[in-house]
Amino acid sequence: MTIGNLREAQIDLYAIRENVASLKASAEVENFMAVVKANGYGHGAVESARAALEGGANWLGVVDGIEAIQLRKAGIQAPILTWLHSPSDDFAIQAEFNVDVGVSSIDELERAAIAKVGFVQIKVDTGLSRNGVAEQDWDLVFARAAELRSAGGPEIRAIFSHLANAGVEADSEQLIAFERAVATASAQGIEPEYLHLASTAATIGFPAARLNMVRVGLGCFGLSPFAGVGSAELGLIPAMTLRSQIVSVRKVVAGTGVSYGHRYRTSSETQLALVPLGYADGIPRCASNRASVWIDGKRFKVSGTIAMDQFVIDIGQHPVAAGDEVVMFGDPKTGYPSADDWAEASDSINYEIVARLGSRVSRTFTESRS
Ligand SMILES: *Cc1c(COP(=O)(O)O)cnc(C)c1O
C-alpha cells in the first residue's frame, strides 16, 4: 500500500548553507546568529539549524525555551539565545540545557539568576516598543546585572535590540539609542562580548548596525525582506518549494459556479482541477481568485474560494490529469511562482507565507547541488 504525498514542502539544505555563507561574507561580520524560530520559518527547525551552522553560522536564535530545547534534544550544541518568555517560564530548564536567556526586564533578570542561568543577554528597547528593557530602566537593570554578576550570578554575554525597519532615519535613531544603552552598561562596568541589532534587512541594507553579530532569519531561507526586491537580486536562493498533486479533473459547462459562495463562475465549457491544499495547511484564503500556481510550466489562477483542505483551478483545455504535479511556490528562477507572489496576492509578506504552513504539510529535505 502506498500513501501519496499530497502536500510537500521540499527544503533545499544546500540553499540554506549558501544563503548563510553569502550573507555572512558580504556583511563581513564575525558572528552570525541564524534565527530558526517558528520551526525554522516553516522549514524545519533542526534541519535548518544544522544547515545554517554548516554554512557558517556560529549562533542560533529562537524565541523560547521550548524551541531551544528541541534543538538541544536533537543534539545541536551550538550556542543558542532565546528572547520571549512567559511570566511563568522556568529558566532552570534553559540553564540545564546551557541556553542563553535574553532578558527584557528586571524580573526576568532576577528569575534567570535564581535559576542559575550561566549567561544572559540583555535586550533593550530602542524604539520598536515590544519587549526589551525600556530606556528609563536601563540604569536600574544594568546596575542589578552587574551586582548579580559580581555575586557569582549570570555572565552578561551581550546587549541587543531589534529594529522597527521603519526607514533609514528611524533605524539610525535606534542605533544611536543602542549606543546610549551600551554606554550606560559600560558605566556599570559591563563590557559584553557581543553587541547585536541587525536582522536580515539591516544585515543587508544598514552596515552600521552590523556591530559584531547579526541575527538573520528570513535571509537564511533565501527570501528578501524588501518589498519589490526579489531573492535573486540579493543573491539568495529560496529554500522552500511547496508541491502538491492534482487529485481530480472534471469537465464542466459554461456558467458553472465553483467552490463556496460561487465566487468564480466558468465563462465557457472547461475543466476544473482540484488541489488538496487549503487554509488549514497555511494557504491564505484571501488569495482566493488571485494567486497562481504552476502546472507543467504554465501558470493557472486559483478559481474561487480557497477552502480548508482544497481549492479549484480552471485549467481550460490544457492537458492536465489527476496525479500531475502542482507547485504552489518556489524559486522564481525556475519559473515557479514565488512566496513573494503569494504574499502580494494575499496582502501579506513572504515571512507569513512560509511560516504559517500547517502540520499536514510534510517537510522533505534535498540538496540542489551535491
Ligand atoms: C525574528 C527575529 C529576527 C530575525 O528577523 P529576520 O527579519 O527574519 O531576519 C531577529 N531578531 C529578533 C529579535 C527576531 O524576533
Side-chain angles (χ1 to χ4, degrees):
M1 189 178 79
T2 58
I3 297 175
N5 196 352
L6 290 181
R7 309 170 195 88
E8 179 185 2
Q10 205 177 65
I11 311 303
D12 181 359
L13 297 174
Y14 167 85
I16 295 176
R17 285 199 303 275
E18 279 298 299
N19 293 329
V20 170
S22 80
L23 287 164
K24 188 178 174 195
S26 56
E28 296 180 322
V29 66
E30 272 165 87
N31 299 290
F32 189 106
M33 179 183 293
V35 178
V36 295
K37 63 190 179 189
N39 193 26
Y41 290 46
H43 295 66
V46 170
E47 293 83 355
S48 301
R50 285 201 186 107
L53 292 166
E54 286 162 12
N58 60 335
W59 272 83
L60 297 170
V62 291
V63 291
D64 61 14
I66 292 171
E67 292 188 332
I69 278 128
Q70 186 200 356
L71 299 175
R72 284 280 181 266
K73 288 193 166 161
I76 291 174
Q77 298 188 342
I80 301 176
L81 171 66
T82 61
W83 55 69
L84 188 61
H85 316 291
S86 105
S88 58
D89 269 348
D90 183 357
F91 293 143
I93 300 164
Q94 298 194 52
E96 182 192 336
F97 282 89
N98 192 22
V99 172
D100 281 31
V101 176
V103 296
S104 280
S105 66
I106 193 94
D107 172 61
E108 287 180 357
L109 175 65
E110 300 287 1
R111 282 160 51 213
I114 290 166
K116 301 203 165 7
V117 165
F119 297 92
V120 292
Q121 303 196 14
I122 298 178
K123 188 171 189 195
V124 292
D125 182 19
T126 54
L128 182 59
S129 309
R130 299 197 314 200
N131 65 3
V133 180
E135 182 152 5
Q136 67 266 23
D137 298 330
W138 289 352
D139 269 324
L140 176 78
V141 170
F142 289 131
R144 183 64 180 143
E147 189 176 64
L148 287 167
R149 174 67 199 138
S150 58
E155 194 168 312
I156 302 133
R157 181 122 71 174
I159 298 171
F160 72 110
S161 187
H162 195 42
L163 295 171
N165 299 326
V168 178
E169 209 172 307
D171 285 354
S172 303
E173 273 174 34
Q174 282 196 256
L175 176 57
I176 291 164
F178 188 75
E179 284 160 357
R180 273 201 308 280
V182 173
T184 308
S186 179
Q188 302 282 357
I190 297 172
E191 305 288 348
E193 185 180 354
Y194 304 110
L195 299 174
H196 50 103
L197 180 59
S199 60
T200 303
T203 298
I204 296 169
F206 185 20
R210 292 170 187 160
L211 308 171
N212 71 349
M213 184 189 282
V214 294
R215 293 187 313 270
V216 178
L218 192 75
C220 299
F221 303 105
L223 298 178
S224 163
F226 307 115
V229 178
S231 303
E233 283 170 76
L234 301 176
L236 298 172
I237 313 167
M240 181 188 289
T241 308
L242 181 60
R243 300 176 189 279
S244 186
Q245 279 175 35
I246 301 296
V247 292
S248 68
V249 175
R250 69 173 48 188
K251 288 193 164 70
V252 296
V253 299
T256 303
V258 176
S259 192
Y260 291 126
H262 284 177
R263 289 165 64 198
Y264 181 82
R265 204 170 277 281
T266 59
S267 55
S268 56
E269 186 182 290
T270 187
Q271 303 180 95
L272 301 177
L274 187 62
V275 181
L277 279 167
Y279 58 79
D281 303 302
I283 308 306
R285 185 175 176 276
C286 57
S288 298
N289 275 325
R290 294 172 70 183
S292 294
V293 302
W294 179 104
I295 303 171
D296 192 25
K298 291 180 221 43
R299 298 280 184 99
F300 296 93
K301 218 179 212 182
V302 172
S303 304
T305 304
I306 294 172
M308 188 182 292
D309 315 303
Q310 50 195 299
F311 66 88
V312 173
I313 40 188
D314 183 340
I315 52 170
Q317 301 310 322
H318 289 283
V320 172
D324 284 1
E325 182 184 46
V326 182
V327 178
M328 304 290 286
F329 59 82
D331 188 345
K333 264 192 183 165
T334 61
Y336 297 148
S338 61
D340 307 69
D341 293 334
W342 274 86
E344 201 182 310
S346 55
D347 299 320
S348 184
I349 54 175
N350 51 14
Y351 289 80
E352 188 179 1
I353 298 300
V354 290
R356 64 186 289 169
L357 282 194
S359 56
R360 289 196 301 202
V361 178
S362 63
R363 272 71 171 175
T364 57
F365 299 91
T366 61
E367 294 281 344
S368 67
R369 231 160 297 180
S370 39

